Amino acid sequence: MSQLDPAIAPSRTAEAPHTPGAPALRRTLKLRHIVFLGLAYMAPLAVFDTFGIVADVTHGHVPLAYLVVLVAVLITALSYSRMVKVFPMAGSAYTYTREAINPHLGFLVGWAATLDYLLLPMINALLSAIYMSAAFPAVPSWVWILSTIVICTVLNLIGVQIAAKVNVILVIIQVVVAVAFVGLTIKNIVDGANGASFSMTPFFAPGLDVPAIGAGAAILALSFLGFDAVSTLAEEAEKPRRDIPRAILIIVAVAGVFFVGVTYVMQVLFPDVATVGNIVGASPEIAKYIGGAAFQAVFIGGYMVAVLGCGITQQMSAARLLYAMGRDGALPKRFFGSLNRAGVPAANVLLIAALACSAVFLDLGRAASLINFGAFVAFIFVNLAVIFTYIRFVKERGWRVAIGYLVLPGLGVVINVALWFSLEPSAMIVGGVWVAIGLAYLLWRTRFFRVSPPPLHGPTDL
């Protein structure tokens, strides 16, 4: 058995809790599976979804906005990597906050994150309808929505390993389409199309609007949510303390280079996205511009592959977050904390599918504005959890330990709070209402904190 981080002095060691003889999450995922699941969750081609909107908000500085959010994500990724070594259990930010800070606060963080996890599959299903309806307008949109949900649900019920293997193929297809897109864009720039030429203008220009860059970065945080999602798979990884941290950093690094590179060439070719004609749907229009109608069809097909891969992983992560909260008694255990014979939280998977069906009535703009509310709450409290872990469990002192446990996560808190307040006011209001509902449920569940929460598990040496 591997040794715990020498800086940590555990009060006790414990494996992820489960009732003896009861079904448990199965350790079947290798590093490559986890990395591809995280990349699939982010959907590499999703970079094209927000390009037009963020280019308009930042006045042509999408790559710079990506660099800003990348700093926040890298610091937070280091915090996730540190916490998953100490608490290699399902639940992600909920578990880390619960174990390191306070069980009740952990519930509220998990509740806030649940808003994002529940909304993402709905938005994903809606996006499938938007893209496919453009290609096949005669087919009702609900057909595409339900088809997407059914495929994702079936693959999740079969088991996590099958879903992981399918996602490897889906991510590879997305990368091929993205590479083709970048190659054609570069060719157009070299040929002088649209008067374009390579420069540093997408990163810096006189009169740079800093608040606008912050607002754009706040929107783009959605692109990096995959690294957070893989931390929910800690109990299904063969070597969680080694592979989950590695996967988190690999995912963030690969995604950061990819997002900055793709948006740079797009921004160089179209410094003013308004010239495309359709800001929200700018990317398909750019695909047609650089490669004609044939490549536009390939691009849309690749995007549908992204939708499928993203939907599988989003549903998987949401189901496991609910499972962790149900197993701990934060949600009704009989429903949320149960597993089927395949070791899958099937009830949660089906619940997420049922909620995703509301995409038939969903307005994309309103739902999308809420996604990053819970994400930034999770990011903030994971960084705070590292600080509290230092205070409660770390016995070793010194400047190197202080940098890892205090300075970097402290900087992560500051940056993520700033980006959180850059969100749309409507997202802050609705997100605040959601948290208030969670607080009311918590007060009822604990009889105003008179009922003791489930016992903590403490740091583990798994």
Side-chain angles (χ1 to χ4, degrees):
M1 185 173 290
S2 61
Q3 295 298 313
L4 185 63
D5 186 334
I8 300 289
S11 56
R12 62 191 152 198
T13 58
E15 293 194 6
H18 64 272
T19 303
L25 294 172
R26 299 177 181 179
R27 296 194 181 280
T28 59
L29 299 180
K30 300 181 184 298
L31 175 61
R32 64 178 182 274
H33 296 140
I34 300 166
V35 169
F36 275 98
L37 282 169
L39 292 174
Y41 189 98
M42 288 190 291
L45 292 189
V47 65
F48 300 111
D49 286 345
T50 54
F51 175 79
I53 297 172
V54 177
D56 184 54
V57 170
T58 61
H59 313 299
H61 295 92
V62 178
L64 177 59
Y66 261 118
L67 286 178
V68 171
V69 74
L70 181 58
V71 172
V73 171
L74 278 172
I75 294 174
T76 305
L78 289 171
S79 292
Y80 270 96
S81 298
R82 194 174 297 277
M83 293 307 295
V84 79
K85 291 179 181 178
V86 182
F87 303 107
M89 296 174 277
S92 190
Y94 154 73
T95 293
Y96 307 149
T97 305
R98 178 184 184 276
E99 294 286 336
I101 305 178
N102 178 271
H104 299 311
L105 185 60
F107 170 82
L108 291 177
V109 170
W111 181 271
T114 300
L115 178 64
D116 295 348
Y117 279 88
L118 295 180
L119 283 178
L120 279 170
M122 290 191 290
I123 291 178
N124 192 67
L126 181 58
L127 284 170
S128 71
I130 291 173
Y131 272 74
M132 293 305 292
S133 293
F136 304 97
V139 180
S141 60
W142 63 265
V143 173
W144 305 117
I145 291 174
L146 296 183
S147 297
T148 301
I149 294 170
V150 168
I151 293 172
C152 294
T153 301
V154 169
L155 286 172
N156 269 294
L157 290 175
I158 291 174
V160 67
Q161 193 171 33
I162 297 297
K165 291 178 178 178
V166 170
N167 267 312
V168 170
I169 300 172
L170 299 183
V171 170
I172 291 174
I173 293 173
Q174 292 180 63
V175 171
V176 170
V177 173
V179 169
F181 185 99
V182 171
L184 288 171
T185 305
I186 292 175
K187 180 180 182 300
N188 276 264
I189 295 172
V190 172
D191 292 343
N194 200 35
S197 62
F198 291 105
S199 71
M200 295 302 292
T201 302
F203 294 104
F204 177 79
L208 194 66
D209 189 342
V210 176
I213 300 300
I219 296 172
L220 295 175
L222 174 64
S223 302
F224 288 95
L225 290 187
F227 88 88
D228 163 68
V230 300
S231 64
T232 66
L233 303 175
E235 290 179 37
E236 291 161 281
E238 290 184 351
K239 299 178 180 179
R241 295 188 67 244
R242 185 197 70 179
D243 289 347
I244 295 292
R246 287 183 181 181
I248 286 173
L249 295 177
I250 290 172
I251 290 165
V252 171
V254 171
V257 172
F258 178 81
F259 293 149
V260 172
V262 171
T263 56
Y264 170 73
V265 296
M266 293 175 71
Q267 198 76 87
V268 167
L269 185 59
F270 287 97
D272 182 4
V273 73
T275 61
V276 176
N278 182 1
I279 292 177
V280 176
S283 296
E285 295 300 322
I286 294 175
K288 185 175 183 180
Y289 180 90
I290 63 176
F295 180 70
Q296 185 185 44
V298 172
F299 177 80
I300 293 176
Y303 185 84
M304 290 310 301
V305 168
V307 165
L308 187 60
C310 205
I312 293 170
T313 321
Q314 287 169 353
Q315 194 170 2
M316 180 188 303
S317 297
R320 279 148 183 79
L321 175 61
L322 294 175
Y323 166 74
M325 298 178 73
R327 182 183 61 189
D328 289 342
L331 293 174
K333 187 172 183 177
R334 179 173 296 181
F335 183 90
F336 293 99
S338 63
L339 299 172
N340 66 9
R341 293 182 179 180
V344 174
N348 296 339
V349 170
L350 293 173
L351 174 62
I352 301 299
L355 292 174
C357 290
S358 64
V360 174
F361 314 103
L362 188 66
D363 177 81
L364 178 61
R366 293 179 182 178
S369 66
L370 300 175
I371 295 301
N372 285 332
F373 178 90
F376 282 125
V377 170
F379 291 175
I380 290 167
F381 278 94
V382 168
N383 282 296
L384 285 174
V386 174
I387 296 173
F388 275 82
T389 297
Y390 177 83
I391 295 171
R392 296 183 59 191
F393 302 115
V394 176
K395 302 304 180 183
E396 181 182 341
R397 291 294 184 264
W399 67 270
R400 290 185 179 180
V401 177
I403 289 176
Y405 281 93
L406 292 178
V407 178
L408 286 178
L411 181 60
V413 170
V414 172
I415 296 175
N416 281 296
V417 167
L419 291 174
W420 188 55
F421 279 109
S422 297
L423 292 172
E424 289 286 337
S426 60
M428 299 295 287
I429 292 172
V430 177
V433 171
W434 175 257
V435 172
I437 294 173
L439 177 60
Y441 173 80
L442 178 64
L443 292 174
W444 171 78
R445 184 82 176 176
T446 62
R447 299 178 185 176
F448 289 87
F449 304 122
R450 289 195 296 268
V451 176
S452 299
L456 300 177
H457 310 296
T460 176
D461 62 352
L462 275 177

